[in-house]
Amino acid sequence: MSSRKRIVVLGSSGSIGGQTLDVVRRHADRLEVVGLALGTRVDVLEAQVREFGVLHAAVGDENLREAPAARSLAAHLALAGDAESAATLGFGQDAVVDLVRLPEADVVVNALVGAAGLRASYETLRAGKVLALANKESLVVGGDLIMPLAAQVDAQRRANGLAPKTGPAGALMPIDSEHGAIYQCLLGERADEVTRLWVTASGGPFRGRTKEELVDITPAQALAHPTWNMGAKISIDSSTLMNKGLEVIEAHHLFDMPYDRIEVVVQPQSAIHSMVEFSDGSVKAHLGTTDMRIPIQFALSYPDRWDAPVRPMDFRTLGSLEFAAPDADTFRCLALAREAGRAGGTLPCVMNAANEIAVAAFLAERCAYLDIAGCVEAVMEAHETRPVESLEQLEETDGWARRTADAWINAR
């Protein structure tokens, strides 16, 4: 049996997926990639498969099955497999999800973008695997389904001797600077002594601007994040503060914390990744270099800590740390996400789907920047919230919200 943790990376061509592979390169003696999936970049997938000796791959876009790059990848995998371990190459969303069930996989890194990642998270935990989660929508949309499954896998890990002797059993590890920070601040602490979670925000590229100054914002301006290098959708969400709203909902589910005890604070230097406040007034803060490889590596190394993947922060050159309250009146998405989270049920699903449609429309210059919040609010108001019952129900609700959001944008 391999002494290395064997991982599947879903979304391997994105920012988180690429940085996960950087961590694997640094710790090749501890990590082994056994499956890779992405949406469309078959050329990138082939290069990754060859570099890491991967036998199982999937492409989300079924229409690429006959593409020259796909045929080249298929030919390579046919030669790479053997009688004991036949290689596989699948196309379509079902093929992506199938990778989480690989018998040899220990950990699934879910770095898929958008609501498409929910089923992958659900099936990862159903298969008893560790879920290293970078897909926000899994918890925002399906937290009521995901967290009970994670608790079951935690219990299995304890029963099988796979959990650490102290601390969380580690079935669900957040790959996120904020939630990774909170997770680490809570280690060794009692849940009943936690009084507040402080989720930090950079404030995005438009911090301090008024609503009037946001009327003519272009996609290029919104994509220019001041401290983090992220994908397009997450960059837009960061600029509207929707990203922070999604993180508040995630924190509610991950740490079983009421919404009135989760606060957002703007910390422009992005040096403090989040904080936890305790009943005696003490506050623990997680500080570090602004590089996602740190939380990615911790999610994969837990409960151990491996050598730093980046240069540590030099506090002598950090300078000042600033703090401010977020402007939820100007950046309405934060307030809308909180409203959806408090209401619970299917409303976060609707809010998330409407936001995905609105962000895509803004990036395609089909709507204005401020229309993103307007679209989300209109679709939320049109929805009759119900308790979450199943993945199928959430998928149906997601589809309704997307159609409603698209119709709202087309009517502008």
Side-chain angles (χ1 to χ4, degrees), residues 169-402:
L172 201 172
M173 297 297 301
I175 291 184
D176 186 318
S177 63
E178 291 81 6
H179 301 109
I182 293 169
Y183 195 100
Q184 294 184 60
C185 287
L186 290 172
L187 291 175
E189 302 289 353
R190 283 171 39 186
D192 63 342
E193 294 179 344
V194 176
T195 54
R196 187 153 43 172
L197 305 181
W198 288 95
V199 179
T200 55
S202 70
F206 307 133
R207 178 171 57 91
R209 297 204 193 185
T210 64
K211 190 173 290 186
E212 291 71 26
E213 292 172 326
L214 298 176
V215 170
D216 297 320
I217 289 297
T218 66
Q221 291 172 312
L223 289 169
H225 194 277
T227 50
W228 293 100
N229 179 22
M230 305 176 293
K233 196 270 182 180
I234 297 177
S235 294
I236 301 302
D237 282 351
S238 178
S239 76
T240 65
L241 293 193
M242 175 58 86
N243 205 41
K244 230 29 67 174
L246 299 180
E247 288 172 4
V248 167
I249 298 174
E250 283 185 283
H252 164 75
H253 287 293
L254 276 170
F255 307 113
D256 193 23
M257 190 64 59
Y259 283 99
D260 60 2
R261 289 164 58 189
I262 305 173
E263 298 290 347
V264 173
V265 59
V266 175
Q267 207 286 293
Q269 292 79 23
S270 296
I272 296 179
H273 299 143
S274 277
M275 301 175 286
V276 175
E277 185 176 322
F278 298 93
S279 54
D280 65 350
S282 298
V283 178
K284 287 172 71 172
H286 180 283
L287 290 81
T289 305
T290 53
D291 192 301
M292 284 303 297
R293 286 173 292 185
I294 294 176
I296 291 168
Q297 180 171 297
F298 183 75
L300 297 174
S301 71
Y302 177 79
D304 300 324
R305 293 185 185 272
W306 300 339
D307 293 343
V310 295
R311 184 185 296 275
M313 179 176 286
D314 186 343
F315 291 96
R316 297 167 298 183
T317 62
L318 178 59
S320 62
L321 293 174
E322 302 171 65
F323 301 91
D327 182 357
D329 292 328
T330 299
F331 299 93
R332 283 277 299 144
C333 284
L334 175 57
L336 291 170
R338 273 193 173 275
E339 179 185 332
R342 287 182 185 278
T346 52
L347 193 58
C349 174
V350 166
M351 177 272 298
N352 178 75
N355 179 65
E356 286 193 20
I357 291 296
V359 168
F362 170 68
L363 288 170
E365 301 185 345
R366 291 178 53 222
C367 73
Y369 183 74
L370 293 177
D371 285 338
I372 296 173
C375 178
V376 171
E377 186 165 18
V379 178
M380 285 174 59
E381 288 178 351
H383 179 63
E384 183 179 339
T385 303
R386 287 176 163 71
V388 172
E389 297 170 354
S390 66
L391 276 184
E392 292 70 27
Q393 175 211 27
L394 289 173
E395 288 168 354
E396 184 178 326
T397 302
D398 177 272
W400 173 87
R402 289 173 190 275

Side-chain angles (χ1 to χ4, degrees), residues 1 127-130 152-164 169:
M1 181 181 290
K129 314 289 188 183
V130 170
Q152 290 176 24
V153 179
D154 275 338
Q156 293 167 12
R157 289 175 60 76
R158 291 189 181 96
N160 296 333
L162 298 174

